[in-house]
Amino acid sequence: MLAKRIIPCLDVKDGRVVKGTNFEGLRDMADPVEMAGFYNNSGADELVFYDITASAEGRNLFTDILRRVASEIFIPLTVGGGIRTLDDFDRVLKCGADKVSVNSGAIADPGIIGAAAKKYGDQCVVLSMDVKRVDGQFRLFAKGGREDTGLDAMDWAVRGVAAGAGEIVLNSIDTDGVKQGFDLEMLDTLAARVNVPVIASGGAGKMEDFAKLFTHPGIDAGLAASIFHTRQVDIKKLKQYLRTQGVEMRI
Amino acid sequence: MIAIVDYGVGNLFSLSSSLKALGFSAEVTGNGEKLRAAERIILPGVGAFGDAKAKLDATGLVPVLQEEARKKPLLGICLGMQLLFEQSFEYGEHPGLGLVPGQVVDLRNDLTDKMLKVPHMGWNSLQIQKSDPLFRYFRDGEYVYYVHSFYAKDCAASTVGTSQYGNVAVTGVVRNGYVWGTQFHPEKSGDAGLRLLKAFAEL
C-alpha cells in the first residue's frame, strides 16, 4: 500500500528560505539548495517550494534555485507561489518541478485548473487552499489568507477536482501557527468530499500530531515548515516513530 | 551514451540530471541515428497513451526502437513502459510497440475497494518477483514513486517486480529480453531509484 508522506515546505524569498531556520551543521543556514539536500537525506518524501517574492529579480533567483535543486535532488518537487497562467506552469516545470500548486491564481481564474490539467495531466495540478471558519462555514480565503472570498471551501475543492486538480493541500488558517495539531475536523470534511490525495497543512507542533493525523484514513500527507526548519521535529525520527505507531512510512 | 527519446512528451530534466548525477553521459534526442549509435535507450513518457503514441508515431522512430530493442538495453519509464506493450485501453484502443506481451488497462476497474484513490500516486514498496540484473543494487521492499491510473496486465511471464495496491498487484517492473520497463519513476524515487538507473546504465 501507499506510504503516508511527510513533506517539508520551503518559503523562498529573494533566494533565501524564510521562516525560522535554525540548522546546525550547514554552511548557510537559509540556503534552499542545502536545505533541500538536508531534507532529501533525512527521508522527506517530497519537497514543496513556495516563491514568495514579488519582484522579477526574485523570480529569476527562484527559478535558478529550483533548477539547482532539481538537478541534485531526486524526489518529487512541488512548486507554488504566484502561479496564474499556463506560462507560469511552463516556467517552473522546465526547471524540474513535478507538480505545480495553484491558490489565489485559481480563485482569480478557475479556468487555469482545467487548462493545466489538460496540458500537463491531473497529477501535475495541486490545488492549494487557505481555509478558515466563518459563520459556521469553512470559508475559502485568497491572497495568503488575507482576503475572504465568501466561497465555501469544500464546494471549491469539489469544483477544483472536477476540473482536474490531482491533489489538494488544505491549510487551516485556524490552526496554522498554533502548533496544537492539525485541523482534523476540517480535513475530514474535505476528505469525505473528494477522492484525490489530501495533504494536511497548518498546526503541526510535535510528532504525536502526525500520528493522530494518520489515524484519519482519508489523509495522505502531512506538510509543515518551521517545525522542520527549526529541528523541533526531525523528519528521520518522526518517520521511525510513525512506523512504530503502525503508520506505513518509506524509511 | 544513453539516449533519452525526445518525442515531445513529458519533462526530461530530472531523468537526464539523475543520469548525469550518477556519472553517465546521457543525451535527450529525437534523432534516429543517435538512437542507433547509443549504447542504451530510455523511453520516457507522461500523459495519455493515445496522445503519446501518436506523437511517437509522428517522429518516425517506432521502427528504430523496435529494431534497436533487439540489440541493446531499452528502458521504458511510466507511460514509456506502457508503450512497450501490445495495446492499451486508455480512452479507446491503441496499439503499442509490441515489445512486451500484455496490455494496459484501467486500474480502477480492477480495484475491489472503490475508496482507493486513482491515480495510484505516491510511494509504494516494490516486491521483487524474479531476480533480475536491474535489481543488482536494489533491496526487496524498497519504496518507489508511482503516478498512474492505468497498469500493465496479462504479462506474468515478463513481470519481475510488483507493488500491492488494494487487491491489485500492480506491475512495477517488466523485463523481456533486452527490454525493461518501470511503471514508477526511478528518477523521482530517491536513492533507491538512482540505484535502479545505475544498474540499467551498467547492464
PDB file of all heavy atoms in Angstrom, chain A residues 1-3 45 74-76 93 98-99 123 167 195-196 218 220 248 250, chain B residues 11 13 18 116-117 120-121 123-124 143 145 147 164 166 187-190 194:
ATOM      1  N   MET A   1       0.836  -1.200   0.000  1.00  0.00           N
ATOM      2  CA  MET A   1       0.000   0.000   0.000  1.00  0.00           C
ATOM      3  C   MET A   1       0.868   1.246   0.000  1.00  0.00           C
ATOM      4  O   MET A   1       2.053   1.187   0.280  1.00  0.00           O
ATOM      5  CB  MET A   1      -0.911  -0.015   1.237  1.00  0.00           C
ATOM      6  CG  MET A   1      -1.956  -1.116   1.180  1.00  0.00           C
ATOM      7  SD  MET A   1      -2.983  -1.043  -0.304  1.00  0.00           S
ATOM      8  CE  MET A   1      -3.903   0.462  -0.001  1.00  0.00           C
ATOM      9  N   LEU A   2       0.235   2.362  -0.294  1.00  0.00           N
ATOM     10  CA  LEU A   2       0.997   3.613  -0.356  1.00  0.00           C
ATOM     11  C   LEU A   2       1.416   4.054   1.041  1.00  0.00           C
ATOM     12  O   LEU A   2       0.638   3.966   1.993  1.00  0.00           O
ATOM     13  CB  LEU A   2       0.131   4.712  -0.976  1.00  0.00           C
ATOM     14  CG  LEU A   2      -0.166   4.570  -2.462  1.00  0.00           C
ATOM     15  CD1 LEU A   2      -1.110   5.678  -2.907  1.00  0.00           C
ATOM     16  CD2 LEU A   2       1.111   4.602  -3.288  1.00  0.00           C
ATOM     17  N   ALA A   3       2.632   4.538   1.129  1.00  0.00           N
ATOM     18  CA  ALA A   3       3.107   5.101   2.385  1.00  0.00           C
ATOM     19  C   ALA A   3       2.499   6.488   2.563  1.00  0.00           C
ATOM     20  O   ALA A   3       2.200   7.174   1.588  1.00  0.00           O
ATOM     21  CB  ALA A   3       4.622   5.188   2.348  1.00  0.00           C
ATOM     22  N   ASP A  45       9.612  12.894   1.831  1.00  0.00           N
ATOM     23  CA  ASP A  45       9.025  12.161   0.705  1.00  0.00           C
ATOM     24  C   ASP A  45       8.775  13.052  -0.491  1.00  0.00           C
ATOM     25  O   ASP A  45       8.492  12.573  -1.593  1.00  0.00           O
ATOM     26  CB  ASP A  45       7.713  11.520   1.144  1.00  0.00           C
ATOM     27  CG  ASP A  45       7.955  10.476   2.213  1.00  0.00           C
ATOM     28  OD1 ASP A  45       8.767   9.574   1.963  1.00  0.00           O
ATOM     29  OD2 ASP A  45       7.362  10.586   3.303  1.00  0.00           O
ATOM     30  N   PHE A  74      16.415  13.917  -6.100  1.00  0.00           N
ATOM     31  CA  PHE A  74      15.566  13.107  -6.969  1.00  0.00           C
ATOM     32  C   PHE A  74      14.356  12.526  -6.242  1.00  0.00           C
ATOM     33  O   PHE A  74      14.164  11.321  -6.173  1.00  0.00           O
ATOM     34  CB  PHE A  74      16.429  12.051  -7.669  1.00  0.00           C
ATOM     35  CG  PHE A  74      17.543  12.703  -8.433  1.00  0.00           C
ATOM     36  CD1 PHE A  74      18.842  12.666  -7.966  1.00  0.00           C
ATOM     37  CD2 PHE A  74      17.276  13.432  -9.589  1.00  0.00           C
ATOM     38  CE1 PHE A  74      19.871  13.311  -8.648  1.00  0.00           C
ATOM     39  CE2 PHE A  74      18.289  14.092 -10.276  1.00  0.00           C
ATOM     40  CZ  PHE A  74      19.589  14.027  -9.811  1.00  0.00           C
ATOM     41  N   ILE A  75      13.576  13.432  -5.675  1.00  0.00           N
ATOM     42  CA  ILE A  75      12.261  13.095  -5.129  1.00  0.00           C
ATOM     43  C   ILE A  75      11.293  14.124  -5.721  1.00  0.00           C
ATOM     44  O   ILE A  75      11.736  15.139  -6.273  1.00  0.00           O
ATOM     45  CB  ILE A  75      12.232  13.132  -3.573  1.00  0.00           C
ATOM     46  CG1 ILE A  75      12.680  14.498  -3.048  1.00  0.00           C
ATOM     47  CG2 ILE A  75      13.090  12.021  -2.985  1.00  0.00           C
ATOM     48  CD1 ILE A  75      12.562  14.646  -1.537  1.00  0.00           C
ATOM     49  N   PRO A  76       9.992  13.891  -5.634  1.00  0.00           N
ATOM     50  CA  PRO A  76       9.058  14.835  -6.263  1.00  0.00           C
ATOM     51  C   PRO A  76       9.174  16.256  -5.694  1.00  0.00           C
ATOM     52  O   PRO A  76       9.328  16.442  -4.487  1.00  0.00           O
ATOM     53  CB  PRO A  76       7.691  14.227  -5.952  1.00  0.00           C
ATOM     54  CG  PRO A  76       7.965  12.775  -5.741  1.00  0.00           C
ATOM     55  CD  PRO A  76       9.311  12.710  -5.101  1.00  0.00           C
ATOM     56  N   LEU A  93       7.920  24.045 -14.541  1.00  0.00           N
ATOM     57  CA  LEU A  93       8.080  22.648 -14.960  1.00  0.00           C
ATOM     58  C   LEU A  93       9.393  22.462 -15.714  1.00  0.00           C
ATOM     59  O   LEU A  93      10.072  21.455 -15.553  1.00  0.00           O
ATOM     60  CB  LEU A  93       6.894  22.195 -15.818  1.00  0.00           C
ATOM     61  CG  LEU A  93       5.580  22.012 -15.059  1.00  0.00           C
ATOM     62  CD1 LEU A  93       4.421  21.802 -16.019  1.00  0.00           C
ATOM     63  CD2 LEU A  93       5.673  20.839 -14.088  1.00  0.00           C
ATOM     64  N   ASP A  98       7.785  18.870 -10.551  1.00  0.00           N
ATOM     65  CA  ASP A  98       6.924  17.771 -10.993  1.00  0.00           C
ATOM     66  C   ASP A  98       5.458  18.140 -10.884  1.00  0.00           C
ATOM     67  O   ASP A  98       4.623  17.652 -11.624  1.00  0.00           O
ATOM     68  CB  ASP A  98       7.178  16.535 -10.139  1.00  0.00           C
ATOM     69  CG  ASP A  98       8.619  16.113 -10.252  1.00  0.00           C
ATOM     70  OD1 ASP A  98       8.980  15.615 -11.320  1.00  0.00           O
ATOM     71  OD2 ASP A  98       9.379  16.322  -9.299  1.00  0.00           O
ATOM     72  N   LYS A  99       5.147  18.953  -9.879  1.00  0.00           N
ATOM     73  CA  LYS A  99       3.769  19.381  -9.673  1.00  0.00           C
ATOM     74  C   LYS A  99       3.777  20.886  -9.437  1.00  0.00           C
ATOM     75  O   LYS A  99       4.755  21.438  -8.944  1.00  0.00           O
ATOM     76  CB  LYS A  99       3.168  18.715  -8.435  1.00  0.00           C
ATOM     77  CG  LYS A  99       3.322  17.212  -8.392  1.00  0.00           C
ATOM     78  CD  LYS A  99       2.598  16.663  -7.183  1.00  0.00           C
ATOM     79  CE  LYS A  99       3.249  15.400  -6.689  1.00  0.00           C
ATOM     80  NZ  LYS A  99       2.581  14.846  -5.508  1.00  0.00           N
ATOM     81  N   GLN A 123      -2.184  14.840 -12.464  1.00  0.00           N
ATOM     82  CA  GLN A 123      -1.201  14.585 -11.398  1.00  0.00           C
ATOM     83  C   GLN A 123      -0.278  15.776 -11.180  1.00  0.00           C
ATOM     84  O   GLN A 123       0.367  15.891 -10.151  1.00  0.00           O
ATOM     85  CB  GLN A 123      -0.389  13.335 -11.718  1.00  0.00           C
ATOM     86  CG  GLN A 123       0.805  13.503 -12.641  1.00  0.00           C
ATOM     87  CD  GLN A 123       0.431  13.846 -14.082  1.00  0.00           C
ATOM     88  OE1 GLN A 123      -0.658  13.508 -14.539  1.00  0.00           O
ATOM     89  NE2 GLN A 123       1.308  14.534 -14.791  1.00  0.00           N
ATOM     90  N   GLU A 167      -4.658  16.758  -6.600  1.00  0.00           N
ATOM     91  CA  GLU A 167      -4.253  16.681  -5.205  1.00  0.00           C
ATOM     92  C   GLU A 167      -4.679  17.996  -4.551  1.00  0.00           C
ATOM     93  O   GLU A 167      -4.723  19.019  -5.215  1.00  0.00           O
ATOM     94  CB  GLU A 167      -2.719  16.555  -5.167  1.00  0.00           C
ATOM     95  CG  GLU A 167      -2.155  15.928  -3.956  1.00  0.00           C
ATOM     96  CD  GLU A 167      -0.705  15.492  -4.192  1.00  0.00           C
ATOM     97  OE1 GLU A 167       0.154  16.341  -4.470  1.00  0.00           O
ATOM     98  OE2 GLU A 167      -0.449  14.293  -4.106  1.00  0.00           O
ATOM     99  N   ASN A 195     -11.965  12.623  -3.909  1.00  0.00           N
ATOM    100  CA  ASN A 195     -11.289  11.317  -3.987  1.00  0.00           C
ATOM    101  C   ASN A 195      -9.871  11.437  -4.543  1.00  0.00           C
ATOM    102  O   ASN A 195      -9.371  10.530  -5.176  1.00  0.00           O
ATOM    103  CB  ASN A 195     -12.120  10.350  -4.828  1.00  0.00           C
ATOM    104  CG  ASN A 195     -12.292  10.867  -6.243  1.00  0.00           C
ATOM    105  OD1 ASN A 195     -11.951  12.022  -6.524  1.00  0.00           O
ATOM    106  ND2 ASN A 195     -12.788  10.037  -7.142  1.00  0.00           N
ATOM    107  N   VAL A 196      -9.249  12.574  -4.292  1.00  0.00           N
ATOM    108  CA  VAL A 196      -7.837  12.743  -4.653  1.00  0.00           C
ATOM    109  C   VAL A 196      -7.047  12.877  -3.346  1.00  0.00           C
ATOM    110  O   VAL A 196      -7.638  13.119  -2.296  1.00  0.00           O
ATOM    111  CB  VAL A 196      -7.618  14.001  -5.545  1.00  0.00           C
ATOM    112  CG1 VAL A 196      -8.364  13.879  -6.857  1.00  0.00           C
ATOM    113  CG2 VAL A 196      -8.015  15.272  -4.802  1.00  0.00           C
ATOM    114  N   GLY A 218      -8.437   9.163   5.352  1.00  0.00           N
ATOM    115  CA  GLY A 218      -8.563   9.962   4.140  1.00  0.00           C
ATOM    116  C   GLY A 218      -7.401  10.915   3.903  1.00  0.00           C
ATOM    117  O   GLY A 218      -7.345  11.582   2.872  1.00  0.00           O
ATOM    118  N   ASP A 220      -3.488  11.790   3.256  1.00  0.00           N
ATOM    119  CA  ASP A 220      -2.359  11.108   2.617  1.00  0.00           C
ATOM    120  C   ASP A 220      -0.996  11.645   3.030  1.00  0.00           C
ATOM    121  O   ASP A 220       0.001  10.935   2.926  1.00  0.00           O
ATOM    122  CB  ASP A 220      -2.486  11.222   1.091  1.00  0.00           C
ATOM    123  CG  ASP A 220      -3.761  10.565   0.613  1.00  0.00           C
ATOM    124  OD1 ASP A 220      -4.808  11.241   0.602  1.00  0.00           O
ATOM    125  OD2 ASP A 220      -3.725   9.366   0.296  1.00  0.00           O
ATOM    126  N   GLU A 248       2.294   3.399   7.754  1.00  0.00           N
ATOM    127  CA  GLU A 248       3.223   2.966   6.707  1.00  0.00           C
ATOM    128  C   GLU A 248       4.084   4.146   6.269  1.00  0.00           C
ATOM    129  O   GLU A 248       3.589   5.199   5.877  1.00  0.00           O
ATOM    130  CB  GLU A 248       2.476   2.378   5.504  1.00  0.00           C
ATOM    131  CG  GLU A 248       3.458   1.846   4.465  1.00  0.00           C
ATOM    132  CD  GLU A 248       2.837   0.902   3.442  1.00  0.00           C
ATOM    133  OE1 GLU A 248       1.672   0.502   3.608  1.00  0.00           O
ATOM    134  OE2 GLU A 248       3.540   0.575   2.466  1.00  0.00           O
ATOM    135  N   ARG A 250       7.916   5.327   4.287  1.00  0.00           N
ATOM    136  CA  ARG A 250       9.111   4.995   3.497  1.00  0.00           C
ATOM    137  C   ARG A 250      10.326   5.373   4.341  1.00  0.00           C
ATOM    138  O   ARG A 250      10.508   6.537   4.702  1.00  0.00           O
ATOM    139  CB  ARG A 250       9.125   5.821   2.214  1.00  0.00           C
ATOM    140  CG  ARG A 250      10.382   5.675   1.387  1.00  0.00           C
ATOM    141  CD  ARG A 250      10.336   6.573   0.179  1.00  0.00           C
ATOM    142  NE  ARG A 250      10.664   7.940   0.494  1.00  0.00           N
ATOM    143  CZ  ARG A 250      11.818   8.541   0.191  1.00  0.00           C
ATOM    144  NH1 ARG A 250      12.743   7.898  -0.457  1.00  0.00           N
ATOM    145  NH2 ARG A 250      12.045   9.796   0.516  1.00  0.00           N
TER     146      ARG A 250
ATOM    147  N   ASN B  11       8.565  15.742 -19.118  1.00  0.00           N
ATOM    148  CA  ASN B  11       9.638  16.564 -18.621  1.00  0.00           C
ATOM    149  C   ASN B  11      10.875  15.686 -18.436  1.00  0.00           C
ATOM    150  O   ASN B  11      10.876  14.779 -17.628  1.00  0.00           O
ATOM    151  CB  ASN B  11       9.169  17.130 -17.274  1.00  0.00           C
ATOM    152  CG  ASN B  11      10.096  18.166 -16.744  1.00  0.00           C
ATOM    153  OD1 ASN B  11      11.226  18.294 -17.206  1.00  0.00           O
ATOM    154  ND2 ASN B  11       9.633  18.914 -15.774  1.00  0.00           N
ATOM    155  N   PHE B  13      13.962  16.709 -17.740  1.00  0.00           N
ATOM    156  CA  PHE B  13      15.019  17.356 -16.961  1.00  0.00           C
ATOM    157  C   PHE B  13      15.550  16.445 -15.849  1.00  0.00           C
ATOM    158  O   PHE B  13      16.748  16.222 -15.743  1.00  0.00           O
ATOM    159  CB  PHE B  13      14.496  18.670 -16.377  1.00  0.00           C
ATOM    160  CG  PHE B  13      15.516  19.464 -15.620  1.00  0.00           C
ATOM    161  CD1 PHE B  13      16.358  20.353 -16.284  1.00  0.00           C
ATOM    162  CD2 PHE B  13      15.642  19.337 -14.249  1.00  0.00           C
ATOM    163  CE1 PHE B  13      17.312  21.085 -15.588  1.00  0.00           C
ATOM    164  CE2 PHE B  13      16.588  20.062 -13.546  1.00  0.00           C
ATOM    165  CZ  PHE B  13      17.419  20.939 -14.219  1.00  0.00           C
ATOM    166  N   SER B  18      19.460  12.976 -13.351  1.00  0.00           N
ATOM    167  CA  SER B  18      19.781  11.855 -12.467  1.00  0.00           C
ATOM    168  C   SER B  18      20.875  10.986 -13.085  1.00  0.00           C
ATOM    169  O   SER B  18      21.759  10.520 -12.374  1.00  0.00           O
ATOM    170  CB  SER B  18      18.534  11.038 -12.123  1.00  0.00           C
ATOM    171  OG  SER B  18      17.903  10.591 -13.288  1.00  0.00           O
ATOM    172  N   LEU B 116     -10.312   3.352  -2.712  1.00  0.00           N
ATOM    173  CA  LEU B 116      -8.902   3.603  -3.039  1.00  0.00           C
ATOM    174  C   LEU B 116      -8.814   4.655  -4.127  1.00  0.00           C
ATOM    175  O   LEU B 116      -9.567   4.627  -5.097  1.00  0.00           O
ATOM    176  CB  LEU B 116      -8.222   2.313  -3.485  1.00  0.00           C
ATOM    177  CG  LEU B 116      -7.849   1.339  -2.365  1.00  0.00           C
ATOM    178  CD1 LEU B 116      -7.320   0.043  -2.952  1.00  0.00           C
ATOM    179  CD2 LEU B 116      -6.818   1.955  -1.428  1.00  0.00           C
ATOM    180  N   LYS B 117      -7.868   5.559  -3.942  1.00  0.00           N
ATOM    181  CA  LYS B 117      -7.766   6.678  -4.874  1.00  0.00           C
ATOM    182  C   LYS B 117      -7.031   6.269  -6.144  1.00  0.00           C
ATOM    183  O   LYS B 117      -6.071   5.522  -6.099  1.00  0.00           O
ATOM    184  CB  LYS B 117      -7.046   7.853  -4.196  1.00  0.00           C
ATOM    185  CG  LYS B 117      -7.868   8.427  -3.041  1.00  0.00           C
ATOM    186  CD  LYS B 117      -7.082   9.376  -2.165  1.00  0.00           C
ATOM    187  CE  LYS B 117      -7.924   9.762  -0.960  1.00  0.00           C
ATOM    188  NZ  LYS B 117      -7.210  10.643  -0.021  1.00  0.00           N
ATOM    189  N   HIS B 120      -3.018   6.003  -8.744  1.00  0.00           N
ATOM    190  CA  HIS B 120      -2.170   5.386  -7.735  1.00  0.00           C
ATOM    191  C   HIS B 120      -0.944   6.298  -7.674  1.00  0.00           C
ATOM    192  O   HIS B 120      -0.099   6.267  -8.549  1.00  0.00           O
ATOM    193  CB  HIS B 120      -1.817   3.972  -8.237  1.00  0.00           C
ATOM    194  CG  HIS B 120      -0.764   3.261  -7.440  1.00  0.00           C
ATOM    195  ND1 HIS B 120       0.287   2.599  -8.043  1.00  0.00           N
ATOM    196  CD2 HIS B 120      -0.607   3.084  -6.116  1.00  0.00           C
ATOM    197  CE1 HIS B 120       1.048   2.048  -7.105  1.00  0.00           C
ATOM    198  NE2 HIS B 120       0.526   2.331  -5.931  1.00  0.00           N
ATOM    199  N   MET B 121      -0.938   7.199  -6.671  1.00  0.00           N
ATOM    200  CA  MET B 121       0.092   8.241  -6.642  1.00  0.00           C
ATOM    201  C   MET B 121       0.782   8.269  -5.299  1.00  0.00           C
ATOM    202  O   MET B 121       0.127   8.419  -4.271  1.00  0.00           O
ATOM    203  CB  MET B 121      -0.541   9.605  -6.930  1.00  0.00           C
ATOM    204  CG  MET B 121       0.425  10.757  -6.767  1.00  0.00           C
ATOM    205  SD  MET B 121      -0.026  12.187  -7.757  1.00  0.00           S
ATOM    206  CE  MET B 121      -1.320  12.880  -6.790  1.00  0.00           C
ATOM    207  N   TRP B 123       4.384   6.854  -2.801  1.00  0.00           N
ATOM    208  CA  TRP B 123       5.461   5.876  -2.577  1.00  0.00           C
ATOM    209  C   TRP B 123       4.876   4.526  -2.210  1.00  0.00           C
ATOM    210  O   TRP B 123       4.146   4.418  -1.243  1.00  0.00           O
ATOM    211  CB  TRP B 123       6.370   6.355  -1.455  1.00  0.00           C
ATOM    212  CG  TRP B 123       7.109   7.626  -1.746  1.00  0.00           C
ATOM    213  CD1 TRP B 123       6.655   8.898  -1.520  1.00  0.00           C
ATOM    214  CD2 TRP B 123       8.410   7.761  -2.317  1.00  0.00           C
ATOM    215  NE1 TRP B 123       7.612   9.806  -1.914  1.00  0.00           N
ATOM    216  CE2 TRP B 123       8.704   9.131  -2.394  1.00  0.00           C
ATOM    217  CE3 TRP B 123       9.367   6.845  -2.755  1.00  0.00           C
ATOM    218  CZ2 TRP B 123       9.901   9.624  -2.899  1.00  0.00           C
ATOM    219  CZ3 TRP B 123      10.566   7.319  -3.257  1.00  0.00           C
ATOM    220  CH2 TRP B 123      10.828   8.701  -3.323  1.00  0.00           C
ATOM    221  N   ASN B 124       5.223   3.506  -2.985  1.00  0.00           N
ATOM    222  CA  ASN B 124       4.773   2.152  -2.679  1.00  0.00           C
ATOM    223  C   ASN B 124       5.994   1.246  -2.668  1.00  0.00           C
ATOM    224  O   ASN B 124       6.981   1.508  -3.361  1.00  0.00           O
ATOM    225  CB  ASN B 124       3.752   1.679  -3.722  1.00  0.00           C
ATOM    226  CG  ASN B 124       2.831   0.608  -3.174  1.00  0.00           C
ATOM    227  OD1 ASN B 124       3.183  -0.116  -2.251  1.00  0.00           O
ATOM    228  ND2 ASN B 124       1.639   0.495  -3.754  1.00  0.00           N
ATOM    229  N   TYR B 143      10.940   1.460  -1.333  1.00  0.00           N
ATOM    230  CA  TYR B 143       9.831   2.260  -1.858  1.00  0.00           C
ATOM    231  C   TYR B 143      10.213   3.000  -3.143  1.00  0.00           C
ATOM    232  O   TYR B 143      11.329   3.494  -3.269  1.00  0.00           O
ATOM    233  CB  TYR B 143       9.368   3.271  -0.809  1.00  0.00           C
ATOM    234  CG  TYR B 143       8.521   2.635   0.269  1.00  0.00           C
ATOM    235  CD1 TYR B 143       9.111   1.937   1.320  1.00  0.00           C
ATOM    236  CD2 TYR B 143       7.132   2.702   0.223  1.00  0.00           C
ATOM    237  CE1 TYR B 143       8.337   1.333   2.305  1.00  0.00           C
ATOM    238  CE2 TYR B 143       6.351   2.112   1.199  1.00  0.00           C
ATOM    239  CZ  TYR B 143       6.967   1.427   2.236  1.00  0.00           C
ATOM    240  OH  TYR B 143       6.183   0.829   3.190  1.00  0.00           O
ATOM    241  N   TYR B 145       8.409   5.664  -6.427  1.00  0.00           N
ATOM    242  CA  TYR B 145       7.369   6.685  -6.588  1.00  0.00           C
ATOM    243  C   TYR B 145       6.529   6.469  -7.860  1.00  0.00           C
ATOM    244  O   TYR B 145       7.033   6.527  -8.978  1.00  0.00           O
ATOM    245  CB  TYR B 145       8.015   8.069  -6.629  1.00  0.00           C
ATOM    246  CG  TYR B 145       6.993   9.180  -6.580  1.00  0.00           C
ATOM    247  CD1 TYR B 145       6.366   9.515  -5.384  1.00  0.00           C
ATOM    248  CD2 TYR B 145       6.646   9.886  -7.726  1.00  0.00           C
ATOM    249  CE1 TYR B 145       5.415  10.519  -5.336  1.00  0.00           C
ATOM    250  CE2 TYR B 145       5.694  10.898  -7.679  1.00  0.00           C
ATOM    251  CZ  TYR B 145       5.089  11.212  -6.472  1.00  0.00           C
ATOM    252  OH  TYR B 145       4.154  12.205  -6.424  1.00  0.00           O
ATOM    253  N   VAL B 147       3.000   7.351 -10.220  1.00  0.00           N
ATOM    254  CA  VAL B 147       1.891   8.245 -10.573  1.00  0.00           C
ATOM    255  C   VAL B 147       1.249   7.674 -11.837  1.00  0.00           C
ATOM    256  O   VAL B 147       1.771   7.849 -12.933  1.00  0.00           O
ATOM    257  CB  VAL B 147       2.356   9.677 -10.929  1.00  0.00           C
ATOM    258  CG1 VAL B 147       1.153  10.575 -11.162  1.00  0.00           C
ATOM    259  CG2 VAL B 147       3.244  10.271  -9.869  1.00  0.00           C
ATOM    260  N   GLN B 164       1.834  -3.774  -4.280  1.00  0.00           N
ATOM    261  CA  GLN B 164       0.448  -4.084  -3.943  1.00  0.00           C
ATOM    262  C   GLN B 164      -0.353  -2.806  -3.723  1.00  0.00           C
ATOM    263  O   GLN B 164       0.056  -1.942  -2.961  1.00  0.00           O
ATOM    264  CB  GLN B 164       0.428  -4.946  -2.673  1.00  0.00           C
ATOM    265  CG  GLN B 164      -0.862  -5.717  -2.466  1.00  0.00           C
ATOM    266  CD  GLN B 164      -1.103  -6.792  -3.534  1.00  0.00           C
ATOM    267  OE1 GLN B 164      -0.146  -7.372  -4.049  1.00  0.00           O
ATOM    268  NE2 GLN B 164      -2.366  -7.023  -3.889  1.00  0.00           N
ATOM    269  N   GLY B 166      -4.326  -2.182  -2.801  1.00  0.00           N
ATOM    270  CA  GLY B 166      -5.589  -2.876  -2.572  1.00  0.00           C
ATOM    271  C   GLY B 166      -5.426  -4.333  -2.963  1.00  0.00           C
ATOM    272  O   GLY B 166      -4.461  -4.990  -2.565  1.00  0.00           O
ATOM    273  N   GLU B 187      13.657   8.094 -11.507  1.00  0.00           N
ATOM    274  CA  GLU B 187      14.327   9.397 -11.370  1.00  0.00           C
ATOM    275  C   GLU B 187      13.682  10.265 -10.304  1.00  0.00           C
ATOM    276  O   GLU B 187      14.166  11.350  -9.997  1.00  0.00           O
ATOM    277  CB  GLU B 187      14.366  10.119 -12.726  1.00  0.00           C
ATOM    278  CG  GLU B 187      13.077  10.803 -13.166  1.00  0.00           C
ATOM    279  CD  GLU B 187      12.027   9.866 -13.765  1.00  0.00           C
ATOM    280  OE1 GLU B 187      12.134   8.636 -13.582  1.00  0.00           O
ATOM    281  OE2 GLU B 187      11.083  10.368 -14.389  1.00  0.00           O
ATOM    282  N   LYS B 188      12.560   9.770  -9.708  1.00  0.00           N
ATOM    283  CA  LYS B 188      11.902  10.501  -8.621  1.00  0.00           C
ATOM    284  C   LYS B 188      11.806   9.643  -7.381  1.00  0.00           C
ATOM    285  O   LYS B 188      11.089   9.979  -6.439  1.00  0.00           O
ATOM    286  CB  LYS B 188      10.482  10.916  -9.073  1.00  0.00           C
ATOM    287  CG  LYS B 188      10.493  12.070 -10.033  1.00  0.00           C
ATOM    288  CD  LYS B 188      10.886  13.352  -9.329  1.00  0.00           C
ATOM    289  CE  LYS B 188      11.448  14.365 -10.296  1.00  0.00           C
ATOM    290  NZ  LYS B 188      12.017  15.521  -9.562  1.00  0.00           N
ATOM    291  N   SER B 189      12.488   8.488  -7.392  1.00  0.00           N
ATOM    292  CA  SER B 189      12.359   7.531  -6.296  1.00  0.00           C
ATOM    293  C   SER B 189      13.562   7.561  -5.365  1.00  0.00           C
ATOM    294  O   SER B 189      13.946   6.544  -4.785  1.00  0.00           O
ATOM    295  CB  SER B 189      12.148   6.120  -6.854  1.00  0.00           C
ATOM    296  OG  SER B 189      10.934   6.053  -7.570  1.00  0.00           O
ATOM    297  N   GLY B 190      14.142   8.749  -5.220  1.00  0.00           N
ATOM    298  CA  GLY B 190      15.237   8.924  -4.275  1.00  0.00           C
ATOM    299  C   GLY B 190      16.412   8.009  -4.589  1.00  0.00           C
ATOM    300  O   GLY B 190      16.652   7.638  -5.747  1.00  0.00           O
ATOM    301  N   LEU B 194      17.706   5.820  -7.997  1.00  0.00           N
ATOM    302  CA  LEU B 194      19.004   6.065  -8.645  1.00  0.00           C
ATOM    303  C   LEU B 194      19.791   4.767  -8.796  1.00  0.00           C
ATOM    304  O   LEU B 194      20.466   4.546  -9.803  1.00  0.00           O
ATOM    305  CB  LEU B 194      19.828   7.078  -7.835  1.00  0.00           C
ATOM    306  CG  LEU B 194      19.343   8.527  -7.833  1.00  0.00           C
ATOM    307  CD1 LEU B 194      20.300   9.400  -7.033  1.00  0.00           C
ATOM    308  CD2 LEU B 194      19.204   9.079  -9.245  1.00  0.00           C
TER     309      LEU B 194
END
